[in-house]
Amino acid sequence: TIGKMVTGTILIDDDTLGPISKQSALLRAVSRVLSEPFYWGFLLAFWTKGIQTFHDKVAKTVVVYVK
């Protein structure tokens, strides 16, 4: 996404540390919509070890910085 390009981040699979599957991408998108109404899914990032949001936990993905 444009936001990831601007911040220099990419999305990877939490288990394989490789590209995410189409199923993970779909699951992440759906769970993100469910967590948006009160931003509670995003607030979860403040209390998780890997700074993962709700939709990252559900889809088993991680956002990492790249150079």
Short mmCIF file of all heavy atoms in Angstrom, two decimals:
data_model
loop_
_atom_site.label_atom_id
_atom_site.label_comp_id
_atom_site.label_asym_id
_atom_site.label_seq_id
_atom_site.Cartn_x
_atom_site.Cartn_y
_atom_site.Cartn_z
N THR A 1 0.84 -1.18 0.00
CA THR A 1 0.00 0.00 0.00
C THR A 1 0.88 1.25 0.00
O THR A 1 2.08 1.18 0.28
CB THR A 1 -0.91 0.02 1.24
OG1 THR A 1 -0.09 0.09 2.40
CG2 THR A 1 -1.81 -1.18 1.29
N ILE A 2 0.28 2.37 -0.25
CA ILE A 2 1.02 3.63 -0.26
C ILE A 2 1.58 3.93 1.13
O ILE A 2 2.72 4.37 1.26
CB ILE A 2 0.10 4.78 -0.74
CG1 ILE A 2 -0.26 4.56 -2.19
CG2 ILE A 2 0.78 6.12 -0.54
CD1 ILE A 2 -1.29 5.51 -2.73
N GLY A 3 0.80 3.65 2.16
CA GLY A 3 1.27 3.89 3.52
C GLY A 3 2.51 3.08 3.88
O GLY A 3 3.42 3.57 4.52
N LYS A 4 2.54 1.85 3.43
CA LYS A 4 3.70 1.00 3.70
C LYS A 4 4.92 1.48 2.92
O LYS A 4 6.04 1.41 3.40
CB LYS A 4 3.37 -0.46 3.40
CG LYS A 4 2.36 -1.01 4.40
CD LYS A 4 2.55 -2.47 4.59
CE LYS A 4 1.57 -3.09 5.54
NZ LYS A 4 0.70 -2.27 6.32
N MET A 5 4.71 1.99 1.71
CA MET A 5 5.83 2.53 0.93
C MET A 5 6.41 3.78 1.60
O MET A 5 7.62 3.95 1.67
CB MET A 5 5.37 2.86 -0.49
CG MET A 5 5.15 1.64 -1.35
SD MET A 5 4.83 2.08 -3.06
CE MET A 5 3.05 2.14 -3.04
N VAL A 6 5.54 4.64 2.10
CA VAL A 6 5.97 5.87 2.74
C VAL A 6 6.74 5.58 4.03
O VAL A 6 7.75 6.20 4.31
CB VAL A 6 4.76 6.79 3.03
CG1 VAL A 6 5.14 7.96 3.92
CG2 VAL A 6 4.16 7.28 1.73
N THR A 7 6.26 4.61 4.81
CA THR A 7 6.90 4.30 6.09
C THR A 7 8.04 3.30 5.97
O THR A 7 8.74 3.05 6.96
CB THR A 7 5.87 3.74 7.09
OG1 THR A 7 5.28 2.55 6.55
CG2 THR A 7 4.79 4.76 7.41
N GLY A 8 8.24 2.73 4.80
CA GLY A 8 9.33 1.77 4.60
C GLY A 8 9.09 0.45 5.31
O GLY A 8 10.00 -0.13 5.88
N THR A 9 7.85 -0.03 5.25
CA THR A 9 7.49 -1.29 5.90
C THR A 9 6.95 -2.28 4.89
O THR A 9 6.49 -1.90 3.82
CB THR A 9 6.45 -1.07 7.02
OG1 THR A 9 5.28 -0.49 6.45
CG2 THR A 9 6.98 -0.19 8.13
N ILE A 10 7.01 -3.56 5.26
CA ILE A 10 6.39 -4.62 4.45
C ILE A 10 5.63 -5.55 5.38
O ILE A 10 5.86 -5.57 6.60
CB ILE A 10 7.42 -5.42 3.63
CG1 ILE A 10 8.45 -6.09 4.54
CG2 ILE A 10 8.09 -4.55 2.59
CD1 ILE A 10 9.34 -7.08 3.83
N LEU A 11 4.75 -6.33 4.82
CA LEU A 11 3.94 -7.28 5.56
C LEU A 11 4.44 -8.68 5.27
O LEU A 11 4.58 -9.05 4.11
CB LEU A 11 2.47 -7.14 5.14
CG LEU A 11 1.44 -7.93 5.91
CD1 LEU A 11 1.35 -7.43 7.33
CD2 LEU A 11 0.10 -7.81 5.23
N ILE A 12 4.75 -9.45 6.32
CA ILE A 12 5.25 -10.82 6.13
C ILE A 12 4.45 -11.79 6.97
O ILE A 12 3.77 -11.40 7.93
CB ILE A 12 6.75 -10.94 6.46
CG1 ILE A 12 7.01 -10.60 7.93
CG2 ILE A 12 7.58 -10.09 5.53
CD1 ILE A 12 8.44 -10.88 8.38
N ASP A 13 4.53 -13.06 6.62
CA ASP A 13 3.89 -14.14 7.37
C ASP A 13 4.65 -14.35 8.67
O ASP A 13 5.88 -14.41 8.69
CB ASP A 13 3.90 -15.42 6.53
CG ASP A 13 3.13 -16.53 7.18
OD1 ASP A 13 3.72 -17.22 8.03
OD2 ASP A 13 1.95 -16.71 6.84
N ASP A 14 3.94 -14.46 9.77
CA ASP A 14 4.56 -14.61 11.09
C ASP A 14 5.27 -15.96 11.25
O ASP A 14 6.25 -16.06 11.96
CB ASP A 14 3.49 -14.45 12.18
CG ASP A 14 4.09 -14.25 13.56
OD1 ASP A 14 5.28 -13.92 13.65
OD2 ASP A 14 3.35 -14.44 14.54
N ASP A 15 4.77 -16.99 10.58
CA ASP A 15 5.37 -18.33 10.72
C ASP A 15 6.57 -18.53 9.80
O ASP A 15 7.62 -19.00 10.23
CB ASP A 15 4.33 -19.42 10.44
CG ASP A 15 3.20 -19.41 11.47
OD1 ASP A 15 3.45 -19.07 12.64
OD2 ASP A 15 2.07 -19.76 11.08
N THR A 16 6.42 -18.17 8.53
CA THR A 16 7.47 -18.45 7.54
C THR A 16 8.42 -17.28 7.32
O THR A 16 9.46 -17.44 6.69
CB THR A 16 6.85 -18.83 6.19
OG1 THR A 16 6.14 -17.70 5.67
CG2 THR A 16 5.92 -20.02 6.32
N LEU A 17 8.03 -16.10 7.76
CA LEU A 17 8.78 -14.85 7.54
C LEU A 17 8.94 -14.55 6.06
O LEU A 17 9.86 -13.87 5.64
CB LEU A 17 10.15 -14.90 8.23
CG LEU A 17 10.12 -15.12 9.74
CD1 LEU A 17 11.53 -15.16 10.29
CD2 LEU A 17 9.29 -14.08 10.44
N GLY A 18 8.00 -15.05 5.26
CA GLY A 18 7.98 -14.81 3.82
C GLY A 18 6.73 -14.05 3.44
O GLY A 18 6.01 -13.54 4.29
N PRO A 19 6.47 -13.97 2.16
CA PRO A 19 5.27 -13.28 1.68
C PRO A 19 3.99 -13.92 2.23
O PRO A 19 3.95 -15.13 2.47
CB PRO A 19 5.33 -13.45 0.16
CG PRO A 19 6.73 -13.83 -0.15
CD PRO A 19 7.26 -14.52 1.06
N ILE A 20 2.96 -13.11 2.40
CA ILE A 20 1.71 -13.65 2.92
C ILE A 20 0.91 -14.27 1.78
O ILE A 20 1.07 -13.91 0.61
CB ILE A 20 0.87 -12.58 3.65
CG1 ILE A 20 0.39 -11.49 2.69
CG2 ILE A 20 1.64 -11.99 4.80
CD1 ILE A 20 -0.62 -10.56 3.29
N SER A 21 0.05 -15.22 2.13
CA SER A 21 -0.81 -15.87 1.14
C SER A 21 -2.03 -15.00 0.84
O SER A 21 -2.33 -14.05 1.57
CB SER A 21 -1.26 -17.23 1.65
OG SER A 21 -2.11 -17.06 2.77
N LYS A 22 -2.73 -15.34 -0.21
CA LYS A 22 -3.96 -14.62 -0.55
C LYS A 22 -5.01 -14.79 0.54
O LYS A 22 -5.76 -13.88 0.84
CB LYS A 22 -4.50 -15.09 -1.90
CG LYS A 22 -3.64 -14.67 -3.06
CD LYS A 22 -4.19 -15.17 -4.37
CE LYS A 22 -3.24 -14.77 -5.49
NZ LYS A 22 -3.67 -15.32 -6.77
N GLN A 23 -5.04 -15.98 1.15
CA GLN A 23 -5.99 -16.25 2.23
C GLN A 23 -5.68 -15.37 3.44
O GLN A 23 -6.60 -14.83 4.07
CB GLN A 23 -5.97 -17.73 2.63
CG GLN A 23 -6.48 -18.67 1.57
CD GLN A 23 -5.41 -19.07 0.56
OE1 GLN A 23 -4.25 -18.68 0.65
NE2 GLN A 23 -5.79 -19.86 -0.42
N SER A 24 -4.41 -15.22 3.77
CA SER A 24 -4.02 -14.37 4.90
C SER A 24 -4.37 -12.91 4.62
O SER A 24 -4.83 -12.20 5.51
CB SER A 24 -2.52 -14.48 5.18
OG SER A 24 -2.21 -15.73 5.72
N ALA A 25 -4.16 -12.49 3.39
CA ALA A 25 -4.48 -11.11 3.01
C ALA A 25 -5.98 -10.85 3.14
O ALA A 25 -6.40 -9.81 3.65
CB ALA A 25 -4.01 -10.83 1.59
N LEU A 26 -6.79 -11.80 2.68
CA LEU A 26 -8.24 -11.66 2.78
C LEU A 26 -8.69 -11.66 4.23
O LEU A 26 -9.50 -10.82 4.65
CB LEU A 26 -8.94 -12.77 2.00
CG LEU A 26 -10.46 -12.74 2.03
CD1 LEU A 26 -10.98 -11.46 1.38
CD2 LEU A 26 -11.02 -13.96 1.34
N LEU A 27 -8.17 -12.58 5.01
CA LEU A 27 -8.52 -12.66 6.43
C LEU A 27 -8.10 -11.39 7.16
O LEU A 27 -8.84 -10.87 8.00
CB LEU A 27 -7.83 -13.88 7.06
CG LEU A 27 -8.17 -14.19 8.51
CD1 LEU A 27 -9.66 -14.44 8.68
CD2 LEU A 27 -7.37 -15.41 8.96
N ARG A 28 -6.94 -10.84 6.83
CA ARG A 28 -6.47 -9.61 7.45
C ARG A 28 -7.38 -8.44 7.09
O ARG A 28 -7.71 -7.61 7.93
CB ARG A 28 -5.03 -9.33 7.01
CG ARG A 28 -4.39 -8.17 7.72
CD ARG A 28 -2.92 -8.04 7.31
NE ARG A 28 -2.23 -7.08 8.12
CZ ARG A 28 -2.14 -5.79 7.82
NH1 ARG A 28 -2.72 -5.31 6.75
NH2 ARG A 28 -1.49 -4.97 8.63
N ALA A 29 -7.80 -8.36 5.83
CA ALA A 29 -8.67 -7.28 5.38
C ALA A 29 -10.03 -7.33 6.07
O ALA A 29 -10.55 -6.31 6.53
CB ALA A 29 -8.83 -7.33 3.88
N VAL A 30 -10.61 -8.52 6.16
CA VAL A 30 -11.92 -8.68 6.80
C VAL A 30 -11.84 -8.35 8.29
O VAL A 30 -12.67 -7.62 8.83
CB VAL A 30 -12.47 -10.10 6.58
CG1 VAL A 30 -13.69 -10.36 7.44
CG2 VAL A 30 -12.79 -10.31 5.11
N SER A 31 -10.80 -8.86 8.97
CA SER A 31 -10.69 -8.62 10.41
C SER A 31 -10.35 -7.16 10.69
O SER A 31 -10.71 -6.62 11.73
CB SER A 31 -9.67 -9.56 11.05
OG SER A 31 -8.41 -9.42 10.47
N ARG A 32 -9.68 -6.49 9.75
CA ARG A 32 -9.40 -5.06 9.94
C ARG A 32 -10.70 -4.26 9.91
O ARG A 32 -10.89 -3.35 10.72
CB ARG A 32 -8.46 -4.56 8.85
CG ARG A 32 -8.15 -3.10 9.03
CD ARG A 32 -7.17 -2.58 8.03
NE ARG A 32 -6.97 -1.16 8.30
CZ ARG A 32 -6.29 -0.37 7.53
NH1 ARG A 32 -5.72 -0.84 6.46
NH2 ARG A 32 -6.16 0.89 7.84
N VAL A 33 -11.58 -4.59 9.00
CA VAL A 33 -12.87 -3.89 8.92
C VAL A 33 -13.66 -4.10 10.21
O VAL A 33 -14.29 -3.17 10.72
CB VAL A 33 -13.67 -4.37 7.69
CG1 VAL A 33 -15.10 -3.86 7.73
CG2 VAL A 33 -12.98 -3.96 6.41
N LEU A 34 -13.59 -5.29 10.76
CA LEU A 34 -14.31 -5.58 12.01
C LEU A 34 -13.73 -4.83 13.21
O LEU A 34 -14.44 -4.52 14.15
CB LEU A 34 -14.29 -7.09 12.30
CG LEU A 34 -15.03 -7.96 11.28
CD1 LEU A 34 -14.81 -9.43 11.62
CD2 LEU A 34 -16.51 -7.62 11.26
N SER A 35 -12.44 -4.52 13.17
CA SER A 35 -11.82 -3.87 14.32
C SER A 35 -11.79 -2.35 14.21
O SER A 35 -11.40 -1.67 15.14
CB SER A 35 -10.39 -4.38 14.51
OG SER A 35 -9.54 -3.93 13.47
N GLU A 36 -12.22 -1.80 13.09
CA GLU A 36 -12.13 -0.36 12.87
C GLU A 36 -13.13 0.51 13.63
O GLU A 36 -12.78 1.64 13.96
CB GLU A 36 -12.21 -0.03 11.39
CG GLU A 36 -10.91 -0.25 10.68
CD GLU A 36 -10.95 0.17 9.22
OE1 GLU A 36 -12.02 0.59 8.74
OE2 GLU A 36 -9.91 0.09 8.58
N PRO A 37 -14.36 0.07 13.90
CA PRO A 37 -15.34 1.00 14.46
C PRO A 37 -14.86 1.81 15.67
O PRO A 37 -15.11 3.00 15.75
CB PRO A 37 -16.52 0.12 14.81
CG PRO A 37 -16.43 -1.01 13.86
CD PRO A 37 -14.96 -1.24 13.66
N PHE A 38 -14.19 1.21 16.61
CA PHE A 38 -13.73 1.95 17.79
C PHE A 38 -12.21 1.91 17.92
O PHE A 38 -11.67 2.23 18.97
CB PHE A 38 -14.39 1.38 19.05
CG PHE A 38 -15.88 1.50 19.01
CD1 PHE A 38 -16.66 0.38 18.78
CD2 PHE A 38 -16.49 2.72 19.16
CE1 PHE A 38 -18.04 0.47 18.73
CE2 PHE A 38 -17.87 2.83 19.11
CZ PHE A 38 -18.65 1.71 18.90
N TYR A 39 -11.53 1.50 16.89
CA TYR A 39 -10.07 1.40 16.86
C TYR A 39 -9.50 0.47 17.91
O TYR A 39 -8.32 0.50 18.21
CB TYR A 39 -9.42 2.79 16.99
CG TYR A 39 -9.75 3.68 15.84
CD1 TYR A 39 -10.73 4.66 15.95
CD2 TYR A 39 -9.10 3.53 14.62
CE1 TYR A 39 -11.05 5.47 14.87
CE2 TYR A 39 -9.41 4.33 13.54
CZ TYR A 39 -10.39 5.30 13.68
OH TYR A 39 -10.70 6.09 12.61
N TRP A 40 -10.33 -0.39 18.49
CA TRP A 40 -9.84 -1.30 19.53
C TRP A 40 -8.81 -2.28 18.97
O TRP A 40 -7.89 -2.67 19.67
CB TRP A 40 -10.98 -2.03 20.23
CG TRP A 40 -11.75 -2.96 19.34
CD1 TRP A 40 -12.82 -2.64 18.56
CD2 TRP A 40 -11.51 -4.34 19.11
NE1 TRP A 40 -13.25 -3.74 17.86
CE2 TRP A 40 -12.47 -4.80 18.18
CE3 TRP A 40 -10.57 -5.24 19.60
CZ2 TRP A 40 -12.51 -6.11 17.74
CZ3 TRP A 40 -10.62 -6.55 19.15
CH2 TRP A 40 -11.58 -6.97 18.23
N GLY A 41 -8.94 -2.65 17.73
CA GLY A 41 -7.98 -3.56 17.12
C GLY A 41 -6.60 -2.95 16.97
O GLY A 41 -5.58 -3.62 17.08
N PHE A 42 -6.58 -1.64 16.74
CA PHE A 42 -5.31 -0.94 16.60
C PHE A 42 -4.68 -0.67 17.96
O PHE A 42 -3.46 -0.66 18.10
CB PHE A 42 -5.52 0.38 15.85
CG PHE A 42 -6.01 0.19 14.45
CD1 PHE A 42 -7.36 0.28 14.15
CD2 PHE A 42 -5.12 -0.11 13.44
CE1 PHE A 42 -7.81 0.10 12.86
CE2 PHE A 42 -5.56 -0.30 12.13
CZ PHE A 42 -6.92 -0.20 11.85
N LEU A 43 -5.50 -0.47 18.97
CA LEU A 43 -4.98 -0.23 20.32
C LEU A 43 -4.26 -1.46 20.88
O LEU A 43 -3.38 -1.34 21.72
CB LEU A 43 -6.13 0.17 21.26
CG LEU A 43 -6.78 1.51 20.94
CD1 LEU A 43 -7.99 1.73 21.84
CD2 LEU A 43 -5.79 2.64 21.08
N LEU A 44 -4.63 -2.63 20.39
CA LEU A 44 -3.98 -3.87 20.82
C LEU A 44 -2.47 -3.81 20.57
O LEU A 44 -1.69 -4.43 21.31
CB LEU A 44 -4.60 -5.05 20.07
CG LEU A 44 -4.12 -6.45 20.43
CD1 LEU A 44 -4.46 -6.77 21.88
CD2 LEU A 44 -4.73 -7.47 19.51
N ALA A 45 -2.04 -3.06 19.60
CA ALA A 45 -0.61 -2.96 19.25
C ALA A 45 0.21 -2.42 20.42
O ALA A 45 1.40 -2.72 20.54
CB ALA A 45 -0.42 -2.08 18.04
N PHE A 46 -0.39 -1.64 21.30
CA PHE A 46 0.34 -1.09 22.44
C PHE A 46 0.67 -2.14 23.50
O PHE A 46 1.55 -1.94 24.33
CB PHE A 46 -0.44 0.05 23.10
CG PHE A 46 -0.55 1.26 22.23
CD1 PHE A 46 -1.76 1.61 21.65
CD2 PHE A 46 0.56 2.05 21.96
CE1 PHE A 46 -1.86 2.73 20.85
CE2 PHE A 46 0.47 3.16 21.16
CZ PHE A 46 -0.74 3.51 20.60
N TRP A 47 -0.05 -3.27 23.49
CA TRP A 47 0.13 -4.28 24.53
C TRP A 47 0.67 -5.61 24.03
O TRP A 47 0.81 -6.54 24.80
CB TRP A 47 -1.19 -4.52 25.26
CG TRP A 47 -1.60 -3.32 26.03
CD1 TRP A 47 -1.12 -2.93 27.24
CD2 TRP A 47 -2.55 -2.33 25.64
NE1 TRP A 47 -1.71 -1.76 27.62
CE2 TRP A 47 -2.60 -1.36 26.66
CE3 TRP A 47 -3.37 -2.16 24.52
CZ2 TRP A 47 -3.42 -0.25 26.60
CZ3 TRP A 47 -4.18 -1.05 24.47
CH2 TRP A 47 -4.21 -0.13 25.49
N THR A 48 0.98 -5.72 22.76
CA THR A 48 1.49 -6.98 22.24
C THR A 48 3.00 -6.91 22.04
O THR A 48 3.54 -5.84 21.77
CB THR A 48 0.82 -7.37 20.90
OG1 THR A 48 1.05 -6.33 19.97
CG2 THR A 48 -0.66 -7.62 21.08
N LYS A 49 3.63 -8.03 22.16
CA LYS A 49 5.09 -8.09 22.08
C LYS A 49 5.61 -7.65 20.71
O LYS A 49 6.56 -6.89 20.62
CB LYS A 49 5.56 -9.52 22.39
CG LYS A 49 7.05 -9.68 22.39
CD LYS A 49 7.43 -11.10 22.73
CE LYS A 49 8.93 -11.27 22.66
NZ LYS A 49 9.33 -12.65 22.91
N GLY A 50 5.00 -8.13 19.66
CA GLY A 50 5.46 -7.80 18.31
C GLY A 50 4.80 -6.58 17.72
O GLY A 50 4.87 -6.35 16.52
N ILE A 51 4.14 -5.79 18.56
CA ILE A 51 3.40 -4.61 18.13
C ILE A 51 2.42 -4.99 17.02
O ILE A 51 2.35 -4.39 15.96
CB ILE A 51 4.32 -3.46 17.70
CG1 ILE A 51 5.40 -3.20 18.76
CG2 ILE A 51 3.53 -2.18 17.47
CD1 ILE A 51 6.43 -2.17 18.36
N GLN A 52 1.67 -6.06 17.25
CA GLN A 52 0.69 -6.53 16.28
C GLN A 52 -0.70 -6.02 16.62
O GLN A 52 -1.11 -6.03 17.76
CB GLN A 52 0.66 -8.06 16.25
CG GLN A 52 1.89 -8.68 15.64
CD GLN A 52 1.80 -10.18 15.69
OE1 GLN A 52 1.76 -10.75 16.76
NE2 GLN A 52 1.79 -10.80 14.53
N THR A 53 -1.43 -5.64 15.60
CA THR A 53 -2.82 -5.24 15.76
C THR A 53 -3.70 -6.49 15.73
O THR A 53 -3.22 -7.59 15.49
CB THR A 53 -3.23 -4.30 14.62
OG1 THR A 53 -3.04 -4.99 13.39
CG2 THR A 53 -2.44 -3.01 14.64
N PHE A 54 -4.98 -6.28 15.96
CA PHE A 54 -5.92 -7.40 15.96
C PHE A 54 -5.88 -8.15 14.63
O PHE A 54 -5.80 -9.37 14.59
CB PHE A 54 -7.34 -6.89 16.25
CG PHE A 54 -8.40 -7.94 16.10
CD1 PHE A 54 -8.56 -8.92 17.06
CD2 PHE A 54 -9.25 -7.94 15.00
CE1 PHE A 54 -9.55 -9.89 16.93
CE2 PHE A 54 -10.23 -8.90 14.86
CZ PHE A 54 -10.37 -9.88 15.82
N HIS A 55 -5.92 -7.41 13.52
CA HIS A 55 -5.95 -8.07 12.22
C HIS A 55 -4.63 -8.77 11.90
O HIS A 55 -4.61 -9.76 11.19
CB HIS A 55 -6.38 -7.11 11.10
CG HIS A 55 -5.73 -5.78 11.11
ND1 HIS A 55 -6.15 -4.75 11.93
CD2 HIS A 55 -4.70 -5.28 10.41
CE1 HIS A 55 -5.41 -3.69 11.71
NE2 HIS A 55 -4.51 -3.99 10.80
N ASP A 56 -3.52 -8.30 12.47
CA ASP A 56 -2.25 -9.01 12.30
C ASP A 56 -2.26 -10.31 13.09
O ASP A 56 -1.77 -11.34 12.62
CB ASP A 56 -1.07 -8.16 12.78
CG ASP A 56 -0.76 -7.02 11.83
OD1 ASP A 56 -0.90 -7.21 10.61
OD2 ASP A 56 -0.37 -5.94 12.31
N LYS A 57 -2.82 -10.29 14.28
CA LYS A 57 -2.91 -11.51 15.10
C LYS A 57 -3.79 -12.55 14.41
O LYS A 57 -3.43 -13.72 14.35
CB LYS A 57 -3.48 -11.19 16.48
CG LYS A 57 -2.56 -10.45 17.38
CD LYS A 57 -1.57 -11.40 17.95
CE LYS A 57 -0.81 -10.74 19.09
NZ LYS A 57 0.27 -11.59 19.54
N VAL A 58 -4.94 -12.12 13.93
CA VAL A 58 -5.89 -13.04 13.29
C VAL A 58 -5.27 -13.68 12.04
O VAL A 58 -5.38 -14.89 11.83
CB VAL A 58 -7.21 -12.32 12.94
CG1 VAL A 58 -8.09 -13.18 12.06
CG2 VAL A 58 -7.94 -11.92 14.20
N ALA A 59 -4.62 -12.88 11.21
CA ALA A 59 -4.06 -13.38 9.96
C ALA A 59 -2.64 -13.94 10.11
O ALA A 59 -2.07 -14.43 9.15
CB ALA A 59 -4.04 -12.26 8.92
N LYS A 60 -2.09 -13.86 11.32
CA LYS A 60 -0.72 -14.33 11.60
C LYS A 60 0.29 -13.64 10.68
O LYS A 60 1.07 -14.28 9.98
CB LYS A 60 -0.63 -15.84 11.49
CG LYS A 60 -1.48 -16.56 12.52
CD LYS A 60 -1.32 -18.04 12.42
CE LYS A 60 -2.24 -18.72 13.44
NZ LYS A 60 -2.21 -20.16 13.33
N THR A 61 0.24 -12.30 10.69
CA THR A 61 1.16 -11.50 9.90
C THR A 61 1.90 -10.53 10.80
O THR A 61 1.49 -10.26 11.93
CB THR A 61 0.41 -10.70 8.82
OG1 THR A 61 -0.57 -9.87 9.44
CG2 THR A 61 -0.25 -11.60 7.81
N VAL A 62 3.00 -9.99 10.28
CA VAL A 62 3.82 -9.02 11.01
C VAL A 62 4.24 -7.93 10.04
O VAL A 62 4.59 -8.21 8.90
CB VAL A 62 5.09 -9.69 11.59
CG1 VAL A 62 5.94 -8.69 12.34
CG2 VAL A 62 4.74 -10.85 12.48
N VAL A 63 4.20 -6.69 10.50
CA VAL A 63 4.70 -5.58 9.70
C VAL A 63 6.12 -5.30 10.17
O VAL A 63 6.37 -5.11 11.36
CB VAL A 63 3.81 -4.33 9.89
CG1 VAL A 63 4.39 -3.14 9.12
CG2 VAL A 63 2.39 -4.62 9.43
N VAL A 64 7.08 -5.28 9.23
CA VAL A 64 8.48 -5.05 9.58
C VAL A 64 9.03 -3.89 8.75
O VAL A 64 8.57 -3.61 7.65
CB VAL A 64 9.34 -6.31 9.36
CG1 VAL A 64 8.94 -7.41 10.29
CG2 VAL A 64 9.27 -6.79 7.93
N TYR A 65 10.03 -3.22 9.32
CA TYR A 65 10.71 -2.13 8.62
C TYR A 65 11.79 -2.69 7.70
O TYR A 65 12.47 -3.66 8.05
CB TYR A 65 11.34 -1.15 9.62
CG TYR A 65 10.32 -0.37 10.39
CD1 TYR A 65 9.95 -0.74 11.66
CD2 TYR A 65 9.72 0.76 9.82
CE1 TYR A 65 9.00 -0.02 12.38
CE2 TYR A 65 8.77 1.47 10.52
CZ TYR A 65 8.42 1.08 11.80
OH TYR A 65 7.48 1.78 12.47
N VAL A 66 11.95 -2.10 6.54
CA VAL A 66 13.00 -2.50 5.59
C VAL A 66 13.82 -1.26 5.24
O VAL A 66 13.34 -0.14 5.34
CB VAL A 66 12.42 -3.13 4.31
CG1 VAL A 66 11.77 -4.45 4.62
CG2 VAL A 66 11.45 -2.21 3.62
N LYS A 67 15.03 -1.49 4.81
CA LYS A 67 15.88 -0.37 4.40
C LYS A 67 15.87 -0.21 2.91
O LYS A 67 15.63 -1.08 2.17
CB LYS A 67 17.30 -0.62 4.88
CG LYS A 67 17.42 -0.52 6.36
CD LYS A 67 18.86 -0.62 6.78
CE LYS A 67 18.96 -0.43 8.28
NZ LYS A 67 20.29 -0.42 8.75
#
